[in-house]
Amino acid sequence: MGSAFFTHNEKVGFWVKINDPPTDLSMRVLWTDPNGVIYDNNAADVEQLDGEEWGIVFDSIYIDGTSAANKKGVWTVELSIDGTVEAAKQFQILDYDEIISTFSDLREQLEDIQATNDETQETNQALIEQLAELQADYNDLLENPPNSEALEALQQQYADLYENYRDLQVNLSTTRMMMYGAVVVAIASVAVAVYFGAIKRS
C-alpha cells in the first residue's frame, strides 16, 4: 500500500505476506482513524498460492463517498493474529483540493515577501545614499567647523540616521529569513505528503 491517499481515491488496500500460513489461528485486520478510534475490524483469511509455501492476507476500506473521506490525517492498519499485532502500517488520507489551495496561498505569500523585500531594499539603498551625503557634509564641517550649537545638531542627526540604517539592516536580514523559513517549511511538509502519495486524480 502507498503512504498517502486522497479523499477522491476509491479505496485503500492492505496486504501482508505470510510464510507457512497457519490454518487454526484467528486473523483480523483493524483500521484505526486519526482520532485513535477503530474504524473497521474485519476477519481475514490467508489466500495461499498453489505450489507455494506462503500466502497473502488482504483487506481494504473504501474512501470516496464514505465517512473515511472526512477523517483526514494519519491512519493505522494492523494485522492481528490471535490477538497479537504481527504487522502494522501507517498512511495518510489527504484532501487534494486543500493541497492545491495551500500551494496557491504559499505562492501568494512568497510573492508578497519578494515585494516587501524589494521595497525594503529600495529603502535601504536610499538610506545608504543619505548616509553618504551626510557623512560628506559632516567631514566638511569637521574641517571648517561652524558654531558649536549647529555642530551638535548635525552630530545628532548623523547619529540618528546611522542608527536607523543599522536597524534596517538587522530587520531586513531577520525578517526575510523568518518569513522565507516559515514558507519553505510549509511547502516541504505538503510536498513530502504529496510525493509519497497518489498524485494522479482518479
Side-chain angles (χ1 to χ4, degrees):
M1 68 185 297
S3 297
F5 299 84
F6 292 122
T7 51
H8 62 262
N9 289 142
E10 181 183 8
K11 61 183 178 179
V12 50
F14 173 69
W15 66 271
V16 179
K17 178 181 177 181
I18 298 181
N19 295 317
D20 298 321
T23 59
D24 57 346
L25 298 180
S26 171
M27 298 187 184
R28 304 196 70 84
V29 177
L30 291 79
W31 300 82
T32 304
D33 70 19
N35 294 319
V37 178
I38 295 179
Y39 176 82
D40 208 355
N41 182 352
N42 302 319
D45 296 316
V46 178
E47 297 292 336
Q48 189 163 357
L49 302 182
D50 293 338
E52 301 291 345
E53 296 182 352
W54 56 272
I56 293 176
V57 174
F58 178 82
D59 194 40
S60 65
I61 60 171
Y62 285 92
I63 301 176
D64 189 25
T66 72
S67 61
N70 299 321
K71 300 177 183 293
K72 295 180 286 292
V74 179
W75 288 63
T76 301
V77 55
E78 300 170 326
L79 171 63
S80 172
I81 301 179
D82 270 0
T84 301
V85 175
E86 299 292 349
K89 175 73 175 180
Q90 287 190 325
F91 65 94
Q92 292 188 75
I93 293 181
L94 307 169
D95 190 313
Y96 180 86
D97 294 330
E98 285 183 1
I99 291 175
I100 296 301
S101 176
T102 298
F103 270 121
S104 178
D105 291 343
L106 292 174
R107 188 180 300 111
E108 291 181 2
Q109 290 182 40
L110 284 174
E111 292 173 354
D112 290 342
I113 290 172
Q114 186 59 53
T116 301
N117 180 60
D118 292 343
E119 182 179 345
T120 305
Q121 292 282 17
E122 292 176 3
T123 303
N124 187 40
Q125 183 59 38
L127 197 56
I128 290 174
E129 294 174 0
Q130 293 178 33
L131 181 63
E133 293 175 359
L134 188 58
Q135 180 72 62
D137 292 342
Y138 180 66
N139 291 337
D140 287 344
L141 285 172
L142 288 178
E143 295 177 1
N144 303 290
N147 59 68
S148 59
E149 182 177 342
L151 181 58
E152 284 184 16
L154 184 60
Q155 287 176 323
Q156 185 60 50
Q157 289 179 350
Y158 175 78
D160 291 344
L161 183 59
Y162 184 75
E163 186 66 26
N164 290 337
Y165 170 68
R166 297 295 298 173
D167 288 344
L168 184 61
Q169 283 186 315
V170 172
N171 290 335
L172 173 63
S173 175
T174 302
T175 302
R176 185 167 56 186
M177 289 178 63
M178 290 178 63
M179 294 176 73
Y180 272 114
V183 172
V184 168
V185 167
I187 290 178
S189 298
V190 176
V192 166
V194 172
Y195 179 78
F196 288 102
I199 304 301
K200 198 170 183 180
R201 302 195 71 164
S202 300

